[in-house]
Structure formats: C-alpha cells, structure tokens
Amino acid sequence: MKLYFENSYEALSQRAAALLLAAMARDRRVNIAITAGNSPRETYSIVTRHINAAPDNYRNVHYYNFDEVPIAGESKGYTLRELDQLYFQPAGIAESQIHPLTCENYTTQDQAIDDAGGLDFMLIGLGADGHFCGNMPYAVKFEEKIYRIPITREYSWYSSLTALCGNDPVPEWFVTMGAASLMKVRQLVMIVNGLNKAETVKHFFESPVDTAFPASILKLHPNFTVICDKEAVSRLSS
Amino acid sequence: MKLYFENSYEALSQRAAALLLAAMARDRRVNIAITAGNSPRETYSIVTRHINAAPDNYRNVHYYNFDEVPIAGESKGYTLRELDQLYFQPAGIAESQIHPLTCENYTTQDQAIDDAGGLDFMLIGLGADGHFCGNMPYAVKFEEKIYRIPITREYSWYSSLTALCGNDPVPEWFVTMGAASLMKVRQLVMIVNGLNKAETVKHFFESPVDTAFPASILKLHPNFTVICDKEAVSRLSS
Amino acid sequence: MKLYFENSYEALSQRAAALLLAAMARDRRVNIAITAGNSPRETYSIVTRHINAAPDNYRNVHYYNFDEVPIAGESKGYTLRELDQLYFQPAGIAESQIHPLTCENYTTQDQAIDDAGGLDFMLIGLGADGHFCGNMPYAVKFEEKIYRIPITREYSWYSSLTALCGNDPVPEWFVTMGAASLMKVRQLVMIVNGLNKAETVKHFFESPVDTAFPASILKLHPNFTVICDKEAVSRLSS
Amino acid sequence: MKLYFENSYEALSQRAAALLLAAMARDRRVNIAITAGNSPRETYSIVTRHINAAPDNYRNVHYYNFDEVPIAGESKGYTLRELDQLYFQPAGIAESQIHPLTCENYTTQDQAIDDAGGLDFMLIGLGADGHFCGNMPYAVKFEEKIYRIPITREYSWYSSLTALCGNDPVPEWFVTMGAASLMKVRQLVMIVNGLNKAETVKHFFESPVDTAFPASILKLHPNFTVICDKEAVSRLSS
C-alpha cells in the first residue's frame, strides 16, 4: 500500500488527477473504472480540463462503472446517471467509450472486461461504514467477482440505499464488482477526504480482514494507493 | 482461477513442471518460491533433470522459501533442510541463488524480495486442514505480509507441528509469507493430489473467505492456477 | 535473449510446446500469434494432443496470423489455409477464436488486437534469408506495425513467393506485422531447426541490425526466447 | 507511441513531472533512469518540490544514469556531476538510492539493473543530431545493451564532446545504454522543446530506422511517450 497524506482536498485532487492522467498516457486502449460520489468532484474537474484541451489524446480511454443500482423503467441506473453529470458529459466522452455494468449484464461483464484486456486503473472512495464499490458490511462476499446483492431491511445500509431512490420504487437487487474483480485491476487508487471519514480511515488501517468492514480486504491488493487529506487522517496516531 | 484436473499424479507433475520451467525461461533474473512436502516430489524430479542437462540455462533463477520452522542451534530450519534434499542438492543450485527466509530476517525479507524485483512464481501445496504456506486455521492473519505465528497448544495444528520437531525442542514461533505477500506474486500455482485431499479440495471450492480455511483467500489471487489429480477432485460434483 | 540449444527436433518441439501451453494457462483471454511452415509441425501436434484431451481448458485462447498472402477469389490466404491444416482443424479451434489478418483489414488489425488486450505470445520461425513473418530482406521497414509489401521482381525473395502461388495469379501485395508490432508482444519465441538453417543462425547472432537480415532487429525484443536444435547451431563457434 | 504537443515549456514540464511522479507512486522499489541537460530543468524542479514536501514518500525510488563521460582522476563523470546539481542535491537523494553507470562497471551494470527488478521508467531528451542517451550518429549499435564508444575524430559529434571536457583531457571512451537496454524499460518518456529542435523533431517522425539518426529506433519501443512543446513541433505539417 502506498500512502499519500495531503494537506488539502485540493492537493488530494491534484494527486489523484495526476495518477488518472498518467494511467491514460498510453498509445493503446486503457480501461478505467471510476467512482461516483462527492470525493472525486475536483479530481474529475482537473481531468476534464485536460481532456477538453486535447480530446484526441484521450480517445484510447474506455470507462467502466463498478456498481449500479437500477432505476425502474430506465436504461441507466443511479451510478451511471451520476457519472454522466460528474464526468462523462463535461469531458465529452463518446458513448462508444462507456461500458455500463447493469443488472442485465452483470453475469457477463467480467468476461467482457477481460476480453478488452482487463482494467488498468480503478478510482474508488471509502464509505463511512467501510464499504467499497457496492460491497456493503456483512453483505460483502470477498470471494466474488461481479455479483448481485439483495436489498433487504436486515442490513444497516438499507436506509441509505432507499434514500438514494427517493420516490422511486426500491429495487430488489443491485450489482457490484467484488474483491476478486478488484484484485485483478492493475492499479487501484482510493481517495478519502474530510473529518467525517477520520474514524473510518483509522478503522481501515487497524481492522483485520473482516466482512464487518469490507474495505479491509483491499489491503491485500498488489498495487494499491491511498490518498487522504489532512482531515481524513486526523484520528491516526502518527 | 485456472483449473487443471489431471488423470494422474504423473500428469499433474508434468503440468506443474512445465509451468515452473516456462517461468524460468527468461533472460533476466527470475525469483521463485517453492514448497516442501510430498506433493512436489515428481515435479522437482522433472525440473531437476532439465537443470542438470543444461545448468547454465537456469543460473538466472533465484529461490525463496515461503515459511520456516526454526531448529534450535541450526542455521537452517525444517523447511530449508527439506528443500535442500528435495530440490537444491539434486538440482545443484548454488548458495548464491538461495535466499532463505528465517526467524531472524522475517521483518526485512519482504523488502529484500522487493529489491530483487519481486516474486515471479510461487508453487504451493494445500494442507488437509486448509492451510497454505504457514497460514494455519484461525491463526492466519489475511492482511499480513511476512509475519510470525506463536506455536501454542490452543491450535488444532499444534500437534502436527510438534511432530515435525521430533525430539528437538518445540520452537516458540515460526514464520510465513502471508496472503498480502502472495497477492504480489505474479503467478501462483497450487498442486493437490491424492484421495486424502478430496474433502479439502471440495471445501476449497465451496468455502467463503474464512480464517477457518485459510486457502479460501487464494481465490482472490489475480493469476492463480490450481492443478489437481483425479483423486483429489473425486468429491467434487461435476 | 534466452537461448535453448536442444539435442533434437523432438526436444525443440517439446520446449516450444511447453512454452505455448504455459502461455495459455491463464483464466483470462490469451492472444497468441502462430507461424505456419514446417518447423512447428511437431510443436503443434503436442499442443493439439493437450487441447483435444481437455478442450474446455483452452477456450480462452485466441489466435492471430501475423502475415498473409492473399489468394484471388478466396476469403482465406495461403497462411490461414496452412494454419487450418496444421493447427486449427486438428485442434478443433472454433472460428470465434480465430482472428485473421487479411489484405482487407490490415490497416485496422493493430487496433483490433490492441482492443483485445494485445498479443501475449508469438511463435515465429526464421527464414533461410533472415526474414521473419513477412519482413523480407531489403523490403522490411523496421519502424512499421502491420504494413503491406509490394510483390515485385526486384527482390531476391520474389521467386519463392511466386512459387507459393503455383498456378494461381501472383497477388500485387502481401501483408505482415512489422517489427513495431512484434516489440509489443509480451513473449516472443523463435524456433529454428535443421542443417539448412545453420548458416542463417550464425548470421542471426553475428549480424548488426540491418535490413539485409531482417531478423537482426529481433535482438532488441525485451522478452525473446530462441530455441534451436543441434543442427541449426552447428556452425556457431562455441 | 503516445504524443503530447504542449503549448509551452511549462506545460511540457508539468506533463513530464506528472508522469515521473506517477511512476514513483508504488509501494515497492521503483528504478528510474533520468537525463541530464537543459530540457528537464523545470521538470526536475517540480518533482523536487514534491520530494522535499514529503521525502519519505520517495525513499522507494532508485536512480540510474544511462550514459557517462569519465573525468580523469574523478570518481564521478560529467553526467553524474550534472545530475547531482540538477536533481540529486536539490531533491536530497541519498547516495544509497543512486546507482552510477561508469566506465568501470559498464559490463556488469545491465545485470545489476536486472537484479534490482529492471528499469521502470526512463526520461530522455533528443539530441539535435538525432542522438539519444550516448547513441551517436553512425557510432550507434542498435543491437547493444550497455556498451562503450571510442571518442575519435571521425565522428561529427567529436567536437561537441571535446567541448564538454573543456580543459580536461579528452577521454578515450564513453559509455551508454544502447537500444537493447532501452527496449526493456517499462515506460520510456522523451521530452523535446524549443525552436532549435523543430527540424530534429520533423526528422524523428519521418526517418526510417537508421544509424544516421539514432532516435529513429525508439519508434519500436512498446511503451513510448513523446512530449513536445509548440516550438519543437512547429515544422511538422499537421
């Protein structure tokens, strides 16, 4: 694990954007999975400026979402809808460069990624409850590649997921890449910022591998970089 | 995970030897960790024939043990002593190509391996109780790289370890590469043979990631090959 | 460069087959380019036996030809026709695993290979005149990826190419992967056998990079293995 | 080949620094070869700021020079002396992280690099006469790894090399990594700036592989990035 503790959210975003842009600097196809959420906003705005300044330099980059919560009657789920706003639209990414994971294709998407050369890079966040991608506490199955998870009341995260749906009906399932998919990603980068993640970050470093804190498994990844801002690491004893 | 179910122990050994020899076929340094035990006997005898026929072709190969149980008053522990007999002596491997992991250097050996370019290949067996390397049921810590484990009576494997020591005093600790070290190995190959492993193999494929069955974590490895003979897979439903 | 000098054509074929089979031992898609010609006959017959014994183990392997001489009015050229006989038919390879390079797709095939993750392995021979793939003396352009070469009388190899065509009309062009394509192949293996190649092998080792002896450029490949039988190296001073 | 045409020397330097810093973002040892000269000044000053802000993050980086002209009676030659000033001193790099290539160790340095896991990254410039590293027009031997070159009057570059020596005696030889060493580097980055390189850049893109323009061989590198400023590409037809 490579750690960067940055002085500010801005510095964190610069670091993450530089790694993303470096991963794109190939003359061959590059396959990248990116996260939705608030943490990557500034990272994406830096990357977007680069892409808009020289779009042809980035036609070789293909994008994948690593989880999805479906919206009834819509072809795009909550994740893809958010990625559209956050990244794909501002960066002008062509449809042909976007390869959605959905509840319909989740049993074949591992193979599709594999047939495209595998994922070169993945940017993820860290959930306050220790989840990564859609690998939720206690529901996570570490041995899985892409799998689906039932949305049931027994789980602590049930309410946050239903909140996401607002007035839409709550779907029965959602899908996510599992730890076995992530271990195959050539470079894994996690960004964590803000005081509200300070306790989570402390737990991340201290927890053994445990389904109660899914991100604990990521410590096994062979090429894993963690970028935190000062606030996120404020609970760590130096 | 790539699976080969072979018709015989001989076919299993041919397959494993071919993979080992192919890993050695580089013009640069190749770092390999190999297992002691009975399963690899025939594999090593095939590889040894190749090495003895053209020793200069294999001077680029460097060897590492992945666990060690120390012998009081001896520089070599039980694992290295056995590897000497099984492989290093018959294959005429020079001392300069052997890089022992010991209870003395276990805190620095991960770095030493890293400074030599990392492990390209590892050959392991599967313990009847689900252990791999020295990662024993319940004592295993998945998040560790090389670590040491106390030898205490609380564990089910205590007696098999003391049996190994015979009349020698039982050491306080032994050392092993952990799952976090193994995830960094570029190619991981596991061989399993014999009827007495049939139940274990079934458990290996069915078990979720669990410290009760340490080898369950290996299903996350990004480049993992499992070679079984017919007897070892006889309890699997096809 | 890694060199194996084998005692016999049989030993050369065993070595080459073992490397090919090891390259196939992944749980992901594997892309392989293979050569036509006489040298690989026995290699292919060993590999074919393995595939026929357990076809499901090899469904992940995709095949590419690296050059082609078109046949007027036929969809398959001379190379593919020969590979069909030598390998694809006896090994029962599905059409969906074969990705022909043709005079029609040669400007897009580099991209297609790239989009499938690149070539993992290539097996080539060495022409008596120093050519590799379709990179012929003096006509070779080292800086090219896949390119086409005019078939004109000015070249020494003109007659051997027209001989290949027999009574069919001689095509205007043929196509080949160039050195820039080969440098991207992760593992490059060349087999050379027989007394009639002894002078060529000597030249291969002694020649500087020179368009008069195209294979001279291969000495720059970052992961290159050369397997010769005893006869092929009989002109080398030890 | 991946091309970046940047609007300014500053933008070029930002791009090159970002790639260098990304290559360093590993938790394992990273081996980097860097160039002396004027072009990388601003790149190094950006990288140096990063290193000085968090030196512990960069202790895993090891440095190599790729050529050297010896100074009589001095342990460090012209290249290392310049790298000291440009980079090693301002960035506070420990001696233990610097691995000089010299006229004394040039026959063993390829092996030493190999034993340390190979070069992950190399930053080079482009000489106005088409040279790269110490591979000079007509004197270059494409098939070589590290080799030495006699300094004789027959070559056009003789005077620029003697100018470097000033009042010191002109050495008989200098040493350089050759194209066969560079092909093994996992990521090769070339920076070119300024109007005085415009003609050279044009030649670089147009020249076939030719000892008259040594950098022509670099077009074969499997992972090669070229970063130019606007002036350097001003002679290219778009």
Side-chain angles (χ1 to χ4, degrees), chain D residues 206-222:
Chain D
E206 294 174 359
S207 172
V209 170
D210 189 339
T211 60
F213 194 89
S216 56
I217 194 78
L218 300 177
K219 290 188 273 193
L220 297 186
H221 192 282

Side-chain angles (χ1 to χ4, degrees), chain D residues 190-208:
Chain D
M190 184 168 80
I191 52 175
V192 199
N193 67 296
L195 263 180
N196 64 325
K197 293 284 174 66
E199 199 58 40
T200 309
V201 166
K202 183 176 154 66
H203 210 60
F204 171 74
F205 285 111
E206 294 174 359
S207 172

Side-chain angles (χ1 to χ4, degrees), chain C residues 58-161:
Chain C
Y58 301 91
R59 304 264 187 246
N60 62 315
V61 183
H62 289 250
Y63 295 93
Y64 296 80
N65 56 317
F66 50 63
D67 58 16
E68 189 55 282
V69 180
I71 306 176
E74 302 278 341
S75 65
K76 292 183 178 181
Y78 291 100
T79 298
L80 217 63
R81 185 189 273 185
E82 194 179 338
L83 286 173
D84 269 344
Q85 283 194 319
L86 266 178
Y87 188 102
F88 298 141
Q89 286 174 8
I93 306 302
E95 284 297 314
S96 59
Q97 291 167 260
I98 304 172
H99 306 273
L101 165 66
T102 67
C103 275
E104 282 71 44
N105 73 7
Y106 83 99
T107 60
T108 58
Q109 183 75 343
D110 274 312
Q111 184 65 48
I113 290 171
D114 185 51
D115 285 345
L119 287 172
D120 296 290
F121 190 98
M122 186 187 284
L123 182 71
I124 61 171
L126 174 63
D129 60 357
H131 80 258
F132 67 95
C133 308
N135 294 279
M136 309 307 287
Y138 302 107
V140 63
K141 295 180 179 176
F142 288 139
E143 59 281 2
E144 293 286 347
K145 298 179 77 179
I146 296 174
Y147 66 117
R148 70 176 189 178
I149 297 100
I151 301 175
T152 63
R153 287 173 196 280
E154 71 183 289
Y155 295 117
S156 55
W157 42 265
Y158 178 78
S159 58
S160 64
L161 215 135

